[in-house]
Amino acid sequence: MDCCHYTGIVSSRYSVPAPLRSQGISSTSCPVISLQKAYIVGHNQISNLSHRRSQRSHLNSYRGKVLASTTRESWDIGRFLRTLFFFNGPPNPLKFVESLIDKVTSPEPGEVPKKMKASGTVLVTGATGGVGRRVVDILRNKGVPVRVLVRNEEKARSMFGPDIDLSIGDVTKAETLNPEYFKGVKKVINAVSVIVGPKEGDTPDRQKYKQGIKFFEPEIKGDPPEKVEYLGMQNLVNAVKNSVGLRNGKLLFGFKGNLSGKLIWGALDDVVMGGVSESLFQIDPTGSETGGPTGLFKGVVSTSNNGGFTSIRTKNFSIPEDLSAYDGIELRVKGNGRRYKLIVRTSTEWDTVGYTGFFDTVKDQWQTHIVHWKKKRIFFGHFLVKVPFSSLKAIFRARTLQDAPEFDPSNIISLQLMFSKFEYDGKLNPTFVEGPFELPFSSIRAYINEPITPRFVHVSSAGVTRPDRPGLDLSKQPPAVRLNKELGFILTYKLKGEDVIRESGIPYAIVRPCALTEEPAGADLVFDQGDNITGKVSREEIARICIAALDSPHACDKTFEVKSTVPFSEPFVVDPTNPPPEKDYDIYFKNLKEGITGKEALEEGIPAPV
């Protein structure tokens, strides 16, 4: 290292400073460096560290290499210093010495990660509307954490009370969607809609609106459909995508894009505790399972000088990765029959707790995850290499920390791959073998556990594909279909908004109610696909369907219409003393199919029956 030189005096029996021990290495029998006088020179600064011992040994030293004894292999102190330099940047000699003294005398991690806050909040947008407020009330009654995104704070607090978790924002204005609003949010129910009202005006409690536009001449009130239904949807999806997660996971390392920027890997081997093992990270341009580029972790591991591990570790991410929407990390690797460690850190400090998982590999076989590809599931390889967050152990200097904070996946700072003789708490790796090894890995990504349920439920409208459908008798269609142009192409932009969701990669469910009413829930229902039905349905019923969809894998990635079996001419009432039983909406969800939206009729030019 050009700017840093080290001169040390080492005893024949020496002890490694605590911060220099590896993850997974105990120092009880390790040779230890005893620094009697160490001069660290860098940037024209010199610091003198004196450490006196009551009994001095015969010492051998020379610049660059340190001989532990005649029976031990030489320790490459230059590589040791380069390792420190790589992960910690240009050294400040005084700070380095102070840090070294502090950490040698302290048995605890340099920085204890903060305890993870409870998450799992459902965000409701359009929360003060007819469907949205019912969604909020039901979720709160169920004890589910709820956050509402509204434009009018006064209206929201008068509706839900002063203790509501509330954020002020407007989906039509991206700059108002503060990223802080979405922290801890895991699911979204979106009931935002353009406002339609009577041209002649309405009563203060909107009685005409509640009857439905079948009973008045409608017009758009406020922002136009393009701004609300389409551009607003783009803004909302972009704002929540990182919080709710993607169906196919979040790519952390790979050669088809890298969402956290190019990861910078460096070797971190047992040289930090006096060992001689050595590894490196390379890119093999043709080494992947498809003949494309792959990362390669390779090296030679040795137990000389009481060592026995090699690893590669990323530099700290400039922006922490928030993986709280996911359930673990999966790797696509070509195995060699050995057991490896994946170490995840949530602290910026070098010597701190590592949340550690283990994975076994199969020799000469690519192992990977399941890839969802449109309607099909394509399997590459035969095994899965997944490290669930729930399996990670908090390990510091070879020991588990029983009182360690809960792992916080919202603040990932660095990743590390390790091949080691040691596991933790004195356990040994049963697959460990000294000598050369290599582990090709073509991708690392965060994943969502299967079965996947919707993370984004959207309330749209029946009829969105009908304005341009060939051969359709508009006189028999609902007013919104007939007046689509006059209402600013309201249904056209609702369909465009749906497409934004379907193309986002977020697991979704799109609910298309027929004409909404203020009637109670409980009527028999018809679920359909292809955008062909007309009728009416209760807002209360739609709110319940949205909430049920959040937990149903059968609703995931489905688009469907809903109506009651009660005709418009007949009001639906419920006897308060004998209410209908709650529905199991999964019975309806199970019959739905992916890929049916009603756009098929537009694309094929074939009129569908309505």
Side-chain angles (χ1 to χ4, degrees), residues 262-408:
K262 186 176 181 180
L263 299 185
I264 302 175
W265 297 87
L268 183 56
D269 304 318
D270 58 17
V271 68
V272 299
M273 44 117 356
V276 297
S277 301
E278 189 167 2
S279 68
L280 54 82
F281 169 77
Q282 291 180 334
I283 294 177
D284 183 345
T286 60
S288 78
E289 67 274 36
T290 60
T294 185
L296 181 63
F297 169 33
K298 64 183 295 186
V300 178
V301 64
S302 170
T303 57
S304 295
N305 299 3
N306 288 317
F309 84 91
T310 61
S311 78
I312 55 172
R313 176 172 164 178
T314 65
K315 280 194 169 184
N316 289 346
F317 304 150
S318 56
I319 300 175
E321 282 286 358
D322 181 358
L323 302 183
S324 56
Y326 301 94
D327 298 299
I329 293 177
E330 59 192 14
L331 304 93
R332 186 180 298 179
V333 304
K334 184 179 181 180
N336 58 1
R338 307 300 176 206
R339 177 175 295 174
Y340 291 84
K341 298 180 185 180
L342 173 67
I343 302 172
V344 186
R345 286 184 173 78
T346 58
S347 167
T348 57
E349 293 216 356
W350 184 50
D351 182 42
T352 188
V353 176
Y355 293 88
T356 305
F358 304 84
F359 62 93
D360 293 309
T361 65
V362 178
K363 187 174 182 180
D364 297 328
Q365 190 169 51
W366 278 98
Q367 299 164 258
T368 184
H369 61 282
I370 301 172
V371 179
H372 293 261
W373 195 12
K374 295 185 179 178
K375 300 179 186 178
K376 300 179 181 179
R377 291 181 178 180
I378 309 299
F379 290 79
F380 294 105
H382 300 85
F383 298 91
L384 308 180
V385 175
K386 293 191 174 184
V387 182
F389 290 146
S390 60
S391 74
L392 298 181
K393 297 180 180 294
I395 295 178
F396 181 66
R397 298 179 190 165
R399 301 294 178 187
T400 55
L401 294 182
Q402 301 300 331
D403 58 346
E406 182 181 354
F407 172 68
D408 181 2

Side-chain angles (χ1 to χ4, degrees), residues 248-260:
N248 289 336
K250 184 173 184 177
L251 188 66
L252 304 174
F253 172 83
F255 294 92
K256 291 184 179 178
N258 192 337
L259 301 185
S260 61

Side-chain angles (χ1 to χ4, degrees), residues 428-441:
L428 298 179
N429 181 352
T431 71
F432 178 78
V433 175
E434 286 191 79
F437 72 95
E438 61 178 46
L439 182 73
F441 61 102

Side-chain angles (χ1 to χ4, degrees), residues 193-266:
S193 177
V194 69
I195 298 175
V196 179
K199 280 186 177 181
E200 66 273 18
D202 205 344
T203 62
D205 56 354
R206 303 189 71 191
Q207 285 299 317
K208 291 183 180 180
Y209 166 77
K210 292 176 182 179
Q211 290 178 336
I213 63 173
K214 183 176 180 179
F215 302 99
F216 59 82
E217 187 177 359
E219 69 175 1
I220 298 298
K221 307 285 188 179
D223 291 323
E226 180 182 15
K227 193 171 183 180
V228 177
E229 306 287 352
Y230 178 47
L231 299 178
M233 184 64 71
Q234 290 179 330
N235 294 336
L236 181 60
V237 165
N238 289 334
V240 305
K241 185 181 292 187
N242 202 47
S243 295
V244 301
L246 302 176
R247 179 186 311 103
N248 289 336
K250 184 173 184 177
L251 188 66
L252 304 174
F253 172 83
F255 294 92
K256 291 184 179 178
N258 192 337
L259 301 185
S260 61
K262 186 176 181 180
L263 299 185
I264 302 175
W265 297 87

